[in-house]
Amino acid sequence: MMSSSVPLRHLRHLSTTTASTATTAPSSSSISISQAKSKLRTEYDPDKALEIYSSVSKHYSSPSSSRYAQDLTVRRLAKSRRFSDVESLIESHKTDPKISQEPFLSTLIRSYGIAGMLDHAIRTFHQMDQFGTPRSAISFNSLLSACNHSMQFDKVRQLFDEIPKTYSSVLPNKVSYGILIKSYCEAGHPEKGIEVLRELEKKGVQVTAVTFTTILNAFYKKGKTEEAEKLWAEMLRNGCELDVASYNVRISHLQGGEPGKIKELIEDMSSLGLKPDTISYNYLMTCYCKNGMLDESKKVYEGLEANGCNPNAATFRTLVFYLCLNGLYEQGYKVFKESVRLHKIPDFNTLKHLVEGLVKNKKIKEAKALIRTVKKKFPPNFLNAWTKLEDELGLVSAHAGNGESQEAKHRSTG
């Protein structure tokens, strides 16, 4: 069993938040769930993430209201390989009176899955009798999803067979079958997903667009375009309620081809009353870039707001990457600054190319400013990579005041 040596200050804070806020005036230690979500999206320090989460977790009786904040916190801890902290955090919730409510306990199973701690998720599921918590497809589906989150896809099939035999109250529903199909697709076996889908159709179970789309995406990823197109035709023929995600899967497959085809699909979506999202336009941007049409890609980016969309990290990653590829580093830096403003910063490798380009073009001030910014924004485990890059590019000043001489040195050696 993993160690539960999480710093006690976090668990004390977690267990005493309600009491303390009852006797003191409202402060930053008590924030709304929406505020917590917003902070957690941009907070990569696991200790700070845990502090934010602990300030709200006791104030909301609905599992769904705090689940997203819990998931984000667990992700931050797991990314830093703080698994004992994850365990201590989740186990602390098992003393909550709400543990007898299945939806509440199911969030704990889900969180263990997100952290990749499947053995703990399974153990928690088997502890439900101990807590007086009823079992149904709700907790069963959380357990199956935990397998997928943990990348243990074979375990889904195993538990799908075993659990209903062990616990008579558990009856798989269409969501359960959807998770099973997803496990086959994630494991690279969409043909097995199709077999399950056919079984459902024979039983008269309605198959959702999400399930169809999961298999469609898996076929495309395996390069089985013909099978994917046949499935798409079947979806249209059977009157499947296609959604934006379905169209985005098709669009993603076309992003290396003609931009016109993607534009047609986006127009088709609109004609059906569907609203193309940021992902749709990101694929169009990428397609333009791959076809050497950078100006057209920039127009798509500039028109996102008019189309009711906001750029995400992938939007900025695509644009910065191709601007750098075309030697337009100053433009890339401007786009980077906008990504910082919107808290949607691209990944390390993309920004590494930008910094190198800025230095190559004697834009030392901008390169240093970029690194200063990302050191504050990136997770702690990336700090060494940025420090190493600074050193390799000669951006580390021996003394605090020699920034100007450093820049002059780069100009003189260019």
Side-chain angles (χ1 to χ4, degrees):
M1 182 173 175
M2 294 188 182
S3 167
S4 56
S5 57
V6 61
L8 289 177
R9 66 181 183 279
H10 293 311
L11 294 183
R12 289 193 188 112
H13 184 78
L14 192 65
S15 61
T16 59
T17 301
T18 304
S20 64
T21 53
T23 56
T24 58
S27 68
S28 60
S29 64
S30 179
I31 59 177
S32 70
I33 195 70
S34 59
Q35 288 174 317
K37 289 176 183 177
S38 179
K39 287 186 175 184
L40 284 167
R41 287 189 195 103
T42 56
E43 181 54 72
Y44 293 99
D45 184 301
D47 288 314
K48 290 180 180 177
L50 192 52
E51 187 176 337
I52 293 167
Y53 173 69
S54 67
S55 69
V56 297
S57 64
K58 288 287 183 178
H59 303 310
Y60 295 88
S61 58
S62 169
S64 60
S65 63
S66 61
R67 189 185 78 177
Y68 185 68
Q70 181 173 298
D71 287 352
L72 281 174
T73 305
V74 167
R75 281 194 176 94
R76 297 293 181 261
L77 291 169
K79 197 167 186 178
S80 297
R81 304 195 66 77
R82 299 259 297 267
F83 298 113
S84 61
D85 290 15
V86 172
E87 181 181 22
S88 294
L89 172 64
I90 296 175
E91 292 299 312
S92 72
H93 285 304
K94 291 182 179 179
T95 60
D96 191 302
K98 294 190 292 293
I99 194 65
S100 61
Q101 300 171 15
E102 188 179 18
F104 180 83
L105 187 142
S106 295
T107 66
L108 307 187
I109 294 173
R110 172 188 169 86
S111 290
Y112 269 135
I114 287 171
M117 299 167 69
L118 183 58
D119 55 336
H120 288 62
I122 293 172
R123 184 187 66 197
T124 300
F125 181 83
H126 288 305
Q127 286 176 335
M128 292 176 73
D129 290 333
Q130 175 185 328
F131 300 128
T133 314
R135 283 188 191 83
S136 72
I138 295 173
S139 52
F140 178 56
N141 292 340
S142 291
L143 183 59
L144 296 180
S145 293
C147 297
N148 281 340
H149 281 302
S150 300
M151 310 293 282
Q152 295 192 41
F153 307 119
D154 290 343
K155 202 74 175 175
V156 177
R157 175 80 263 183
Q158 180 188 333
L159 293 176
F160 199 95
D161 292 335
E162 290 178 358
I163 296 297
K165 293 175 183 175
T166 306
Y167 303 103
S168 58
S169 61
V170 175
L171 296 174
N173 57 16
K174 64 182 180 181
V175 175
S176 314
Y177 281 101
I179 298 169
L180 175 62
I181 288 172
K182 183 178 176 66
S183 72
Y184 283 135
C185 292
E186 291 288 342
H189 303 299
E191 63 284 348
K192 289 186 178 180
I194 283 286
E195 289 176 11
V196 176
L197 186 145
R198 299 306 177 211
E199 286 178 25
L200 292 176
E201 290 175 336
K202 287 178 183 177
K203 293 177 180 178
V205 177
Q206 183 184 8
V207 181
T208 65
V210 173
T211 299
F212 271 112
T213 302
T214 299
I215 301 173
L216 184 74
N217 188 39
F219 274 134
Y220 277 133
K221 280 185 175 180
K222 283 200 75 175
K224 295 189 173 184
T225 305
E226 187 177 341
E227 287 87 340
E229 293 300 322
K230 284 180 181 177
L231 186 61
W232 179 261
E234 181 183 335
M235 292 165 72
L236 294 174
R237 189 169 59 250
N238 293 347
C240 181
E241 289 189 18
L242 301 174
D243 55 15
V244 175
S246 305
Y247 273 93
N248 281 345
V249 165
R250 287 208 84 203
I251 290 172
S252 70
H253 173 64
L254 296 172
Q255 63 179 320
E258 293 289 328
K261 292 182 179 179
I262 292 181
K263 288 182 71 176
E264 283 178 21
L265 281 174
I266 288 176
E267 289 168 4
D268 286 348
M269 291 166 67
S270 299
S271 68
L272 291 172
L274 298 173
K275 183 178 175 294
D277 60 12
T278 301
I279 296 171
S280 314
Y281 290 111
N282 282 351
Y283 286 137
L284 180 57
M285 281 178 57
T286 301
C287 190
Y288 275 132
C289 289
K290 287 183 175 181
N291 280 273
M293 304 166 72
L294 191 55
D295 287 340
E296 292 300 316
S297 182
K298 286 191 281 187
K299 287 178 185 177
V300 175
Y301 164 68
E302 291 163 358
L304 282 175
E305 188 175 346
N307 285 312
C309 297
N310 295 312
N312 58 21
T315 310
F316 291 114
R317 181 178 67 239
T318 298
L319 202 51
V320 170
F321 175 80
Y322 281 100
L323 286 169
C324 290
L325 201 62
N326 286 272
L328 302 172
Y329 300 107
E330 289 183 69
Q331 287 187 39
Y333 182 66
K334 288 179 182 178
V335 173
F336 161 73
K337 288 200 291 185
E338 180 65 9
S339 78
V340 174
R341 187 181 73 81
L342 296 176
H343 303 292
K344 303 293 182 184
I345 302 176
D347 60 285
F348 172 80
N349 288 328
T350 301
L351 295 182
K352 178 175 180 287
H353 292 309
L354 178 55
V355 171
E356 290 170 343
L358 289 170
V359 171
K360 183 180 177 182
N361 284 267
K362 311 300 185 292
K363 298 295 178 181
I364 308 305
K365 180 180 177 182
E366 289 82 353
K368 286 185 172 184
L370 187 154
I371 290 181
R372 275 199 308 273
T373 300
V374 294
K375 276 187 167 182
K376 297 174 186 175
K377 301 289 186 180
F378 269 62
N381 53 312
F382 275 92
L383 290 180
N384 287 341
W386 282 114
T387 301
K388 182 181 178 183
L389 183 61
E390 272 185 305
D391 188 49
E392 289 173 353
L393 296 175
L395 297 176
V396 181
S397 301
H399 301 286
N402 70 350
E404 292 79 7
S405 62
Q406 187 94 359
E407 188 164 352
K409 178 182 176 183
H410 274 276
R411 282 199 299 269
S412 65
T413 57

